[in-house]
Amino acid sequence: MADENKDKAITSKRKVGVYICYCGGNISDHVDVEKVRERIEKLPEVAAVRTNMFMCSDPGQEMIMEDLKSGAIDRVVVASCAPSLHETTFRGAISRAGRNPYIYEHANIREQVSWVHHGDKATDKATRLVSMATAKAEQLNPLEPIRVEAGKHVTVIGGGIAGLRAAKDLADRGIKVVLLEKSPFLGGQLASLDQIAPTGDKAADLVSDLAGQVLNDDSITVHTCSEVESFEGYVGNFRLGVKKQPPEMDPEKIKPPGAAGEAAGEFIPFAGVYNGDMPSVPAEFTVETGVIILATGFKSYMPSKGEYGFGEYEQVTTLPELIRSMAENKAAGNLMEFNGRKIRSMAMIHCVGSRQIPGIHPENEGGYLNEYCSRTCCSATLNVSNIIRTSHPGTRIFEFYRDIRTYGRGQEELYEEAARNQVVFLRFEDDASPEVVRNISHSGDFPLMVKVKDTLTFGEDVGAPVDLVVLVTGVEPNTISDLVEMMKLPVGTDRFLLEVHPKLRPVELPISGILLAGTCQAPMDVGEACNAAGAAAVKAAALLGRGYVELDPFVALVDLEKCGGTGECVNACLSDGALNMVDMEVDGQTVRRAQVTPALCLGCGVCVGVCPENAIEVAGWTLKQYEAMVDRIVAEEVTA
Amino acid sequence: MTSLADNQSEGKILILATETCAYPGADSVGQAHSSYPANTFILRVRAPALFPEHFYLDCFNKGISGIIIMSCGEECPYDGAYKAMATRLDRVYVMMRQQELDIRRLRLTAICTVCNRAFLNEVNQMNKVVQELGPPQMAQS
Ligand SMILES: Cc1cc2nc3c(=O)[nH]c(=O)nc-3n(C[C@H](O)[C@H](O)[C@H](O)COP(=O)(O)OP(=O)(O)OC[C@H]3O[C@@H](n4cnc5c(N)ncnc54)[C@H](O)[C@@H]3O)c2cc1C
Ligand code: SF4
Ligand code: SF4
């Protein structure tokens, strides 16, 4: 058993393989990766160090697998991006090489080094983080994942177009679905639209068609008027407490569906598809489910009083209101009518409540700004303008915009069509929003005037006298703070739900078994929301496909040789039943010792901190491993 | 392994960052490319309640100049762990005083997954403290 590596004395019984990623320059622009390699090669426990442009690529993963198969290494450290992105990738590669995936440790040298430090300091810190990881890896033992049965069952929360799409896609794969919708209707916000950009589809048709398929599918149980009240469990075995209750409706304004004889499955304009299920008294039930898909959607931005005259002048309205008015009043005529008034001239003001800039726009109620682009409103507005100009050629339209963002297939055409339809475009700078004022000084009997410094005419001050001002209001995430709190969902700075990775894992959350679909994640159009829903459905099906899920075995382990039976750990344990004192035979004597029930153990380690004998550990996260890492932080030789 | 830190003038800061809150929080600082002192070393922990009192004293003894425990605070996924942690820490502070260690060297704080500003603030504060105090000197070592 000749030792190949003659440069250093092997004092470790482990052979740690280290793989350091350039991340296409993301790491190597700031960290001298080859220098890290040279230093790490000198560590006693390290048997091989390799570098690669992209460790997560197939060739990168192959390197690890080959070294494991050849026996060159028996522990693995990858130094790359954050572990949330690729820890599972590399554990997977180890499994494919036929080894236990828990012989792996990750060193985060991108998010926690190259993106925040520069020069020699970055290289030194990266070296130290890698040496800490190898010190831990040296002590890692193979662990068996905890396998639990997983019901082939998914719960979709939210019955908008995204929730409907996800539910139907899952049912088509033979998976049972419960769909929970808080309102009495299916279809979400799409049900409040009319003709959809850019295809011209009728929203009613899209919603009726898909909701019909969902309601007719035996694998899908739809509960309307239902909201999640409690949440517990883990992937494969979630338990949701659901409350179903009569909706709060203003009887003056909305007649309860069903009362007017609507049949189940019927589309009610600006409400959605009614499923014939209207509870008269509150009821509670539980749902046991394997995966949860969040499809809770968005709400329209509500302008504050006085914003562009909103709430002050009755002639100022919003895009959703205009869409509704047009759908309910389809009579042709030279002039469009709104609220019984003929509209000779109207203004559309883009980006209201979207793309807000700190220091320029006042904060919204609640102290935040919507800095994002709502993405669908440019096309929706141009679409509406084209319909008006075609059906009511006498109605003139001025569109005031900051930028026109018609990004998708068939959308730029809407802009060109609007120009051909003689919609007049005026462009304003970020810090020079148009002003809506009462029209007093000018001739004519137009009630309002929209004034702007128009950059298309090189800064000319322009005023457009109008009968109607339409605020192109964007979207905001729905208020789901109860779900966020219950499920500990990550929320972005924009308040939308935050995926694990925007490019690589766009519909997943860090919480295994909870997925995202549609506009609860970001502004999307209908096609994009359905895309996301389809992706979430496939991910859910893949998670449940094997009939069981494997949980990380990071649970408490008692060292019976050390355990003195004091029971301190049992007193401190946070999870009822996870730790118990039991009688057992040790060396022919009956003694009381601590025993762990793995399925109930949270792996929090509270017991570790209290054991006077250091007899209990959390597998994969032991105190000894941490101590070895601290030793490497202070060790002199590492960066020598 | 010897217990003297190399490059003492820098003063090394150990950060215990919870897997569900503070560790992704540190990643979020990275995603924003916000720079902070490089003498910081983050250990990913499930819950900092795992560490017994002596762990902290051992760290100072080994030459760690400052420790920040970045927990989830009220957001802790393990019901009760935060409280257990806070009481444990009171005892650590008593032990630090006995060792004549400035208790500013150890700090418990809550950092969420997007608390970039709070993260930077904590790190810079602790860096100031360790630069002011210099390497830890234990009374009994
Ligand atoms: C003015 C305007 C015009 C638009 N025009 C177009 C267009 O022309 N073309 C286009 O493609 N797109 C357009 N869109 C975008 C389109 O409306 C969305 O893409 C689509 O509605 C998103 O569907 P969703 O399922 O993600 O969300 P939603 O439609 O918001 O559905 C979410 C559902 O979840 C329910 N829900 C919320 N919270 C809970 C909870 N806690 N429990 C249970 N249920 C819950 C809600 O009641 C709702 O039914 C427009 C949007 C606006 C605002
Ligand atoms: S889609 Fe257009 S109107 Fe809407 S926020 Fe973006 S740029 Fe503004
Ligand atoms: S790790 Fe937590 S839940 Fe598990 S036995 Fe220890 S204290 Fe109890």
Side-chain angles (χ1 to χ4, degrees):
Chain A
M1 290 214 285
D3 176 25
E4 302 279 341
N5 197 337
K6 299 194 182 73
D7 290 351
K8 68 184 177 202
I10 297 278
T11 54
S12 171
K13 56 185 195 303
R14 291 281 164 247
K15 294 183 284 185
V16 181
V18 180
Y19 303 85
I20 315 172
C21 188
Y22 277 65
C23 195
N26 268 298
I27 292 170
S28 54
D29 285 353
H30 298 286
V31 171
D32 184 342
V33 172
E34 295 307 327
K35 191 162 181 184
V36 176
R37 180 178 57 74
E38 281 165 26
R39 290 162 161 182
I40 293 299
E41 275 172 346
K42 295 185 196 142
L43 295 172
E45 70 277 14
V46 172
V49 188
R50 305 188 196 286
T51 58
N52 193 278
M53 189 51 83
F54 292 107
M55 271 312 300
C56 56
S57 66
D58 285 348
Q61 295 185 50
E62 295 285 337
M63 272 192 333
I64 303 175
M65 292 167 66
E66 274 162 29
D67 286 350
L68 281 169
K69 284 181 189 160
S70 76
I73 62 163
D74 60 11
R75 295 291 180 275
V76 177
V77 166
V78 176
S80 62
C81 51
S84 55
L85 301 173
H86 281 308
E87 196 170 39
T88 43
T89 310
F90 298 121
R91 286 215 162 114
I94 296 170
S95 295
R96 291 202 302 285
R99 298 304 151 92
N100 183 289
Y102 296 98
I103 57 167
Y104 176 79
E105 178 61 14
H106 198 98
N108 183 347
I109 61 166
R110 192 181 74 177
E111 278 80 348
Q112 294 185 7
V113 180
S114 68
W115 280 354
V116 286
H117 311 306
H118 311 290
D120 290 345
K121 284 190 173 175
T123 303
D124 286 352
K125 180 162 170 181
T127 310
R128 234 169 245 287
L129 294 196
V130 178
S131 82
M132 288 157 68
T134 58
K136 176 171 177 182
E138 186 184 14
Q139 298 195 27
L140 287 173
N141 288 316
L143 300 171
E144 284 315 310
I146 302 169
R147 191 176 276 200
V148 286
E149 275 183 36
K152 274 201 172 188
H153 186 286
V154 175
T155 299
V156 178
I157 304 179
I161 200 73
L164 293 170
R165 182 73 271 160
K168 182 62 185 145
D169 286 359
L170 283 162
D172 288 347
R173 285 182 181 81
I175 292 174
K176 292 247 180 285
V177 180
V178 160
L179 178 69
L180 302 174
E181 164 58 49
K182 72 173 176 187
S183 81
F185 307 102
L186 298 176
Q189 297 282 344
L190 181 54
S192 298
L193 300 177
D194 187 28
Q195 192 178 313
I196 294 299
T199 51
D201 285 308
K202 282 283 184 198
D205 296 344
L206 296 180
V207 171
S208 305
D209 181 37
L210 194 54
Q213 291 179 38
V214 164
L215 290 172
N216 288 327
D217 197 315
D218 290 341
S219 299
I220 307 174
T221 310
V222 176
H223 293 286
T224 51
C225 306
S226 298
E227 276 186 84
V228 175
E229 294 263 293
S230 69
F231 162 87
E232 58 181 43
Y234 44 83
V235 58
N237 294 274
F238 293 112
R239 244 175 105 87
L240 301 174
V242 181
K243 188 162 190 185
K244 189 173 192 135
Q245 54 188 345
E248 284 170 25
M249 283 198 288
D250 184 347
E252 296 291 314
K253 284 195 190 140
I254 313 169
K255 58 177 186 322
E262 279 98 356
E266 202 171 305
F267 180 82
I268 306 171
F270 294 88
V273 167
Y274 174 56
N275 73 336
D277 175 19
M278 179 65 72
S280 50
V281 288
E284 283 173 23
F285 57 95
T286 51
V287 179
E288 296 193 346
T289 198
V291 168
I292 296 168
I293 295 182
L294 296 166
T296 50
F298 71 96
K299 62 179 184 213
S300 273
Y301 173 77
M302 214 11 150
S304 51
K305 188 169 173 356
E307 191 173 358
Y308 297 106
F310 185 81
E312 284 175 353
Y313 307 123
E314 55 169 343
Q315 302 88 352
V316 178
T317 189
T318 61
L319 179 63
E321 284 302 318
L322 174 68
I323 290 173
R324 179 165 193 158
S325 154
M326 287 167 60
E328 289 174 347
N329 183 4
K330 289 227 154 112
N334 186 40
L335 294 180
M336 180 180 82
E337 278 190 28
F338 185 84
N339 274 350
R341 289 181 296 112
K342 293 209 183 300
I343 308 297
R344 296 158 294 171
S345 163
M346 63 190 280
M348 308 272 211
I349 302 178
H350 283 235
C351 295
V352 177
S354 305
R355 304 176 66 204
Q356 294 172 321
I357 302 171
I360 293 183
H361 295 99
E363 284 179 353
N364 301 312
E365 216 177 288
Y368 52 80
L369 287 171
N370 299 336
E371 295 184 43
Y372 52 85
C373 165
S374 291
R375 300 181 81 244
T376 47
C377 20
C378 270
S379 292
T381 306
L382 292 165
N383 188 40
V384 163
S385 291
N386 285 327
I387 296 169
I388 297 173
R389 291 290 303 151
T390 321
S391 326
H392 311 288
T395 301
R396 301 188 59 190
I397 300 179
F398 301 93
E399 287 208 28
F400 296 80
Y401 72 96
R402 268 165 72 187
D403 298 288
I404 295 284
R405 297 189 165 175
T406 44
Y407 60 95
R409 177 189 284 164
Q411 296 191 19
E412 186 66 6
E413 286 84 336
L414 293 172
Y415 177 51
E416 288 159 9
E417 193 186 331
R420 278 197 302 278
N421 280 331
Q422 293 172 344
V423 171
V424 178
F425 288 94
L426 301 101
R427 184 173 192 184
F428 58 93
E429 288 290 344
D430 301 348
D431 56 355
S433 296
E435 259 184 283
V436 177
V437 294
R438 204 179 287 286
N439 180 26
I440 34 178
S441 55
H442 288 257
S443 58
D445 53 356
F446 293 97
L448 295 178
M449 166 79 83
V450 184
K451 298 206 286 193
V452 77
K453 194 179 262 307
D454 173 32
T455 64
L456 296 182
T457 50
F458 306 104
E460 203 175 306
D461 287 312
V462 183
V466 292
D467 289 317
L468 180 68
V469 173
V470 179
L471 306 184
V472 178
T473 44
V475 304
E476 295 189 308
N478 244 332
T479 318
I480 50 163
S481 42
D482 47 347
L483 292 179
V484 168
E485 207 153 290
M486 258 187 273
M487 302 182 181
K488 307 236 182 305
L489 306 173
V491 175
T493 41
D494 56 9
R495 295 172 296 123
F496 286 94
L497 295 177
L498 189 65
E499 67 288 323
V500 174
H501 192 279
K503 311 275 183 211
L504 300 170
R505 295 170 66 191
V507 298
E508 288 167 83
L509 289 176
I511 314 148
S512 180
I514 306 187
L515 301 165
L516 295 172
T519 52
C520 56
Q521 184 183 13
M524 298 180 188
D525 75 2
V526 173
E528 291 163 337
C530 286
N531 262 342
V538 174
K539 279 276 170 204
L543 263 173
L544 300 177
R546 291 180 297 188
Y548 61 85
V549 290
E550 289 186 332
L551 305 179
D552 282 333
F554 303 140
V555 293
L557 269 183
V558 180
D559 182 341
L560 290 176
E561 303 224 320
K562 287 193 193 163
C563 178
T566 56
E568 297 276 349
C569 55
V570 180
N571 297 338
C573 177
L574 302 177
S575 172
D576 278 351
L579 261 182
N580 290 300
M581 296 309 289
V582 294
D583 286 336
M584 56 177 84
E585 286 287 296
V586 174
D587 295 336
Q589 287 197 320
T590 305
V591 288
R592 276 182 86 67
R593 294 287 179 259
Q595 192 177 58
V596 181
T597 306
L600 293 177
C601 173
L602 311 168
C604 60
V606 168
C607 50
V608 178
V610 299
C611 177
E613 322 284 345
N614 290 336
I616 191 163
E617 288 287 7
V618 174
W621 305 76
T622 71
L623 201 52
K624 275 223 168 71
Q625 292 164 1
Y626 281 118
E627 284 166 350
M629 293 172 93
V630 173
D631 288 340
R632 281 288 162 82
I633 297 177
V634 295
E636 278 175 59
E637 55 270 35
V638 172
T639 52
Chain B
M1 200 156 290
T2 49
S3 62
L4 267 185
D6 55 339
N7 204 358
Q8 283 284 18
S9 60
E10 276 263 275
K12 288 181 173 157
I13 299 170
L14 177 70
I15 299 175
L16 305 176
T18 49
E19 196 186 18
T20 47
C21 310
Y23 193 92
D27 287 342
S28 155
V29 172
Q31 279 153 17
H33 295 258
S34 306
S35 195
Y36 55 87
N39 55 340
T40 42
F41 299 90
I42 302 178
L43 294 184
R44 185 161 51 131
V45 305
R46 290 165 70 77
L50 178 134
F51 298 99
E53 288 84 343
H54 71 77
F55 174 83
Y56 300 95
L57 276 296
D58 290 349
C59 284
F60 292 126
N61 204 8
K62 287 172 182 175
I64 297 285
S65 295
I67 304 176
I68 315 175
I69 305 165
M70 295 190 175
S71 74
C72 302
E74 298 301 310
E75 296 294 292
C76 174
Y78 310 106
D79 217 7
Y82 184 72
K83 215 174 133 243
M85 176 71 229
T87 29
R88 168 116 16 104
L89 221 54
D90 288 341
R91 289 196 294 274
V92 178
Y93 282 131
V94 171
M95 293 163 83
M96 286 177 72
R97 283 203 190 89
Q98 286 166 356
Q99 299 281 335
E100 290 166 29
L101 281 168
D102 195 309
I103 60 163
R104 285 178 297 160
R105 292 185 187 274
L106 174 62
R107 203 175 134 71
L108 171 64
T109 179
I111 298 289
C112 73
T113 54
V114 292
C115 289
N116 292 16
R117 231 174 281 170
F119 177 94
L120 293 168
N121 193 26
E122 289 292 345
V123 167
N124 289 324
Q125 288 287 330
M126 183 56 87
N127 195 36
K128 238 187 241 159
V129 168
V130 302
Q131 299 314 325
E132 178 200 318
L133 296 177
Q137 307 282 339
M138 312 273 284
Q140 291 167 18
S141 62

